[in-house]
Amino acid sequence: MTVFGPSAPLPATREATLREAFDCEGAGLHTGRHARVRVIPAAPGHGLVFRRLLKGEAHDVPALWPNQRTRPLCTALQVGEGPLVRTVEHLLAALSGGSIDNALIEIEGEELPIFDGSAAPWCALIARAGRIEQERPRRYLRVIKRVEYRNGRHKQSIDPAGTFTVKGSVTLKGLGQLRWSGPIDPETFVRELAPSRSFGRLKWALAAKLFGRFSREPVLRGASLSNTAALWGATAVGGLRMPDEPVRHRVLDLVGDYALAGRPLLGRVTAVMPGHEHNHAMVAILLADRAAWEEVEIDESGEPRPVG
């Protein structure tokens, strides 16, 4: 029998989408360019799909692992030689953390708005739009044996578990070792992870911003103190939102990056010094090891049932 702790609600049994569409706009963190976004309810089985509107033509880019492209300090997606969609991780984290399975995300521009550097604005828009369950059973990627990734001091592992939980840690000069752990469910995500902001050392951010102005690959051209927690010593310029804000944001990014697996996860993640490239590597290892997971549906009692 699968056992769920008091802080981990039963996984949803059915897929869900938005009750209604919402619109927003803003500047990107790396390109600095303005973009308009419309997030639209989608049919069961549709998944999370970006639609890049470019020169009157629509290019669909599903948020799936094969479409991930390496870009500095963000998660980017592209289908073949089509247009890129950049910095998708905060919206994917908000949708995944909020148990939204199906949505069409239209974007006029290359990069999603960064807003205040956190996922809280996305969560507020999703909450206002509402969530509605659909008739299709929700399918999960259930980890059935441990998988691991290591790259120097960067380590991740996923163990079998009845829910999606994360234990993350980062070590930063001046701040020491910061830890966060908990279940990834809508209430916990909104309360504990969504408000945390993108961060970086002020001196590094200034150098990267200067480099990004002249490089072919845009980096931090839109970064400012209003959308980034600029670390200085043991705090950030203007203060941290919570003492362990950096590790919470790294977990937030991990949730968004793991959404590229294409199914919500049932597994216990342990991540030491996570970051986009390491999250992507862990997803690749997991999906490549077909003996490490199975696809399941959850019945009304919370029991997983293999499918396929």
Side-chain angles (χ1 to χ4, degrees):
M1 175 177 290
T2 303
V3 179
F4 300 97
S7 62
L10 292 176
T13 61
R14 297 189 178 278
E15 291 186 1
T17 189
L18 300 168
R19 187 174 295 276
E20 59 185 28
F22 67 81
D23 299 89
C24 60
E25 56 186 279
L29 175 66
H30 295 295
T31 63
R33 295 176 180 170
H34 200 83
R36 293 183 176 87
V37 179
R38 181 171 176 79
V39 185
I40 304 167
H46 180 275
L48 303 176
V49 178
F50 291 87
R51 175 168 289 171
R52 177 88 187 270
L53 304 176
L54 186 64
K55 297 181 180 179
E57 187 175 355
H59 303 263
D60 283 359
V61 186
L64 295 172
W65 169 248
N67 300 328
Q68 184 269 331
R69 299 292 182 267
T70 300
R71 292 295 185 276
L73 303 176
C74 73
T75 294
L77 300 170
Q78 185 179 30
V79 173
E81 298 300 316
L84 193 75
V85 181
R86 185 189 301 266
T87 318
V88 299
E89 58 269 23
H90 295 177
L91 175 55
L92 288 181
L95 291 167
S96 177
S99 297
I100 301 293
D101 303 287
N102 302 304
L104 177 64
I105 304 142
E106 295 182 341
I107 174 172
E108 296 181 36
E110 179 180 305
E111 184 178 26
L112 269 66
I114 191 61
F115 297 129
D116 68 349
S118 80
W122 290 116
C123 289
L125 290 164
I126 291 168
R128 195 174 305 137
R131 176 181 181 273
I132 183 169
E133 288 197 343
Q134 299 169 294
E135 289 303 313
R136 183 185 174 104
R138 195 181 202 213
R139 292 190 173 183
Y140 291 82
L141 193 157
R142 177 177 180 246
V143 175
I144 55 178
K145 77 167 189 175
R146 182 182 178 91
V147 288
E148 297 178 291
Y149 160 81
R150 181 188 292 266
N151 183 349
R153 61 176 183 158
H154 305 276
K155 297 181 288 184
Q156 293 190 29
S157 62
I158 313 176
D159 290 289
T163 58
F164 182 17
T165 65
V166 178
K167 179 180 180 181
S169 65
V170 300
T171 302
L172 299 170
K173 185 177 180 180
L175 293 170
Q177 188 175 61
L178 305 176
R179 302 182 182 91
W180 183 89
S181 63
I184 306 303
D185 58 66
E187 181 180 345
T188 303
F189 184 86
V190 169
R191 183 183 66 245
E192 299 195 24
L193 298 177
S196 61
R197 298 164 294 168
S198 299
F199 69 92
R201 290 288 174 191
L202 182 61
K203 60 182 179 180
W204 298 342
L206 291 174
K209 187 175 175 67
L210 179 62
F211 172 78
R213 290 181 60 187
F214 301 102
S215 67
R216 293 183 59 186
E217 188 64 44
V219 180
L220 298 178
R221 293 177 185 175
S224 71
L225 296 179
S226 66
N227 59 32
T228 307
L231 301 184
W232 183 259
T235 186
V237 178
L240 291 167
R241 290 183 173 177
M242 56 279 286
D244 57 354
E245 184 176 5
V247 69
R248 292 178 188 242
H249 190 79
R250 288 290 174 85
V251 174
L252 184 161
D253 280 344
L254 182 148
V255 172
D257 291 341
Y258 275 38
L260 299 180
R263 291 279 187 263
L265 185 72
L266 295 179
R268 184 174 67 253
V269 177
T270 303
V272 178
M273 298 297 290
H276 291 303
E277 64 177 294
H278 310 294
N279 303 338
H280 298 156
M282 184 73 262
V283 172
I285 290 171
L286 174 63
L287 294 182
D289 188 353
R290 191 59 187 83
W293 54 271
E294 63 179 354
E295 199 169 27
V296 301
E297 296 173 359
I298 305 294
D299 65 25
E300 297 300 330
S301 67
E303 289 295 318
R305 182 178 64 252
V307 296

